[in-house]
Amino acid sequence: NRYCKRIKQIKLEKERELILELTNNYLWIKESDYTKHLKIALRNLVKDEDINDKTKIYIIPLKSPTDDFKSKSSDSIAYFFNNCELRYEFSQKIELISQQKIRRCLNESNKIILAVDDFIGTGNTAKKFIENLLKKFKNLKIKDLAILTLVIQEQAIQNLNTVYPSIKIFRSIEEKKGISDKYSDTELSEKIKLMKQIEENLEIPDSYLFGYEQSEALVTMIRTPNNTFPVFWYNKRNEDIAPFPRY
């Protein structure tokens, strides 16, 4: 019903057609599917040539340094690693760890500190996280760090690899931009123009145009990232229309 109300807000047929096209590529991962996607990402990890049966995996939530004392989605993902169904499948020893306890594992030779989250949009938070850890723990090497996420935007991988070319990123799903990576030439220009008109009519704030930092994501997890096109999640004051609102 909410989706239909949002479509009815969009008056021009071409604009509606664009939203319907984007909806066909929309990814919605429910909480009940999290363990399945974590298993996929972990299987990709254990296939890595530097990982063996004796490698110890330390799990830490991937958060910006300014969010250390805030509850974030990465905390929930870290907690998922307590799932016995998930652990039964992997021979590696897995342990949840806080930043305060990283120092005690720095001298271990066969380890990986795995920063986890459910979604990575731009990669900027991950960059700040890595930068902060390397600054805080002088003996920590980039080869001992890796990232694991359920879903990541392709632009985030490129962003991270620019600064940390050797960082390993394990994921279940990799997503492209919803418009810029799907269309080209004249069609691309037309679709961009249509989305700009849609967002202008919906009075989307400038900071969220085409999704945060123009991520053009088409993703909803337990919560919808602000990287997603706001037509799917943004509500004006006293409005209750968006199909995937950010509560």
Side-chain angles (χ1 to χ4, degrees):
N1 286 339
R2 289 181 180 218
Y3 181 81
C4 291
K5 288 178 182 177
R6 176 49 43 100
I7 291 294
K8 285 178 69 176
Q9 276 189 315
I10 301 168
K11 304 303 180 185
L12 297 181
E13 184 177 352
K14 282 190 175 182
E15 293 177 359
R16 288 185 177 185
E17 287 176 356
L18 173 60
I19 300 306
L20 293 171
E21 287 175 21
L22 295 178
T23 303
N24 285 332
N25 295 316
Y26 203 92
L27 176 67
W28 182 13
I29 297 184
K30 301 177 183 179
E31 185 178 4
S32 57
D33 293 324
Y34 270 40
T35 300
K36 177 183 74 175
H37 287 285
L38 274 176
K39 283 183 177 181
I40 293 170
L42 271 173
R43 286 173 193 148
N44 290 329
L45 182 148
V46 298
K47 290 177 186 175
D48 188 86
E49 59 183 9
D50 294 325
I51 306 295
N52 56 53
D53 290 345
K54 295 182 180 179
T55 302
K56 190 161 184 180
I57 302 173
Y58 290 102
I59 305 297
I60 186 169
L62 193 163
K63 293 197 279 189
S64 170
T66 57
D67 292 333
D68 272 351
F69 300 103
K70 296 179 183 177
S71 179
K72 306 293 286 186
S73 60
S74 57
D75 293 300
S76 300
I77 294 299
Y79 190 75
F80 262 91
F81 280 85
N82 286 316
N83 185 316
C84 58
E85 178 190 350
L86 185 149
R87 289 189 179 227
Y88 284 164
E89 190 167 325
F90 303 95
S91 59
Q92 290 78 10
K93 186 173 181 181
I94 299 173
E95 180 181 341
L96 275 61
I97 193 171
S98 65
Q99 283 200 27
Q100 289 76 14
K101 294 183 179 180
I102 284 181
R103 199 175 305 279
R104 70 175 171 83
C105 68
L106 289 178
N107 293 327
E108 295 180 17
S109 57
N110 192 3
K111 66 174 181 304
I112 186 166
I113 298 172
L114 193 61
V116 300
D117 205 349
D118 61 347
F119 174 78
I120 298 178
T122 65
N124 289 337
T125 296
K127 283 200 303 185
K128 291 175 184 176
F129 172 86
I130 295 170
E131 181 183 354
N132 181 58
L133 277 192
L134 294 175
K135 184 178 180 180
K136 187 180 293 186
F137 303 101
K138 303 299 183 183
N139 295 332
L140 181 63
K141 298 178 177 61
I142 193 69
K143 69 179 182 65
D144 294 325
L145 289 173
I147 292 170
L148 183 143
T149 183
L150 306 188
V151 182
I152 187 169
Q153 293 287 113
E154 186 180 78
Q155 73 171 120
I157 297 173
Q158 295 169 352
N159 188 8
L160 284 162
N161 286 338
T162 299
V163 183
Y164 303 107
S166 61
I167 192 72
K168 294 181 179 180
I169 305 169
F170 304 102
R171 63 273 194 186
S172 176
I173 298 174
E174 182 178 326
E175 288 282 286
K176 293 180 179 290
K177 288 188 173 185
I179 292 178
S180 297
D181 290 335
K182 182 179 179 182
Y183 306 98
S184 59
D185 304 326
T186 304
E187 190 177 20
L188 173 59
S189 301
E190 180 186 359
K191 302 297 184 184
I192 288 175
K193 183 178 179 181
L194 288 172
M195 182 54 79
K196 286 181 177 178
Q197 291 171 350
I198 292 169
E199 294 186 335
E200 181 178 344
N201 292 336
L202 294 177
E203 300 178 19
I204 305 297
D206 289 348
S207 57
Y208 295 130
L209 296 177
F210 282 65
Y212 179 70
E213 293 199 357
Q214 298 188 334
S215 300
E216 299 184 33
L218 291 167
V219 177
T220 286
M221 311 296 290
I222 291 178
R223 190 179 188 219
T224 305
N226 59 15
N227 307 81
T228 291
F229 284 105
V231 65
F232 291 99
W233 59 264
Y234 181 75
N235 282 320
K236 289 186 287 188
R237 184 175 296 178
N238 299 322
E239 188 179 63
D240 196 18
I241 291 176
F244 296 104
R246 284 171 51 82
Y247 290 114

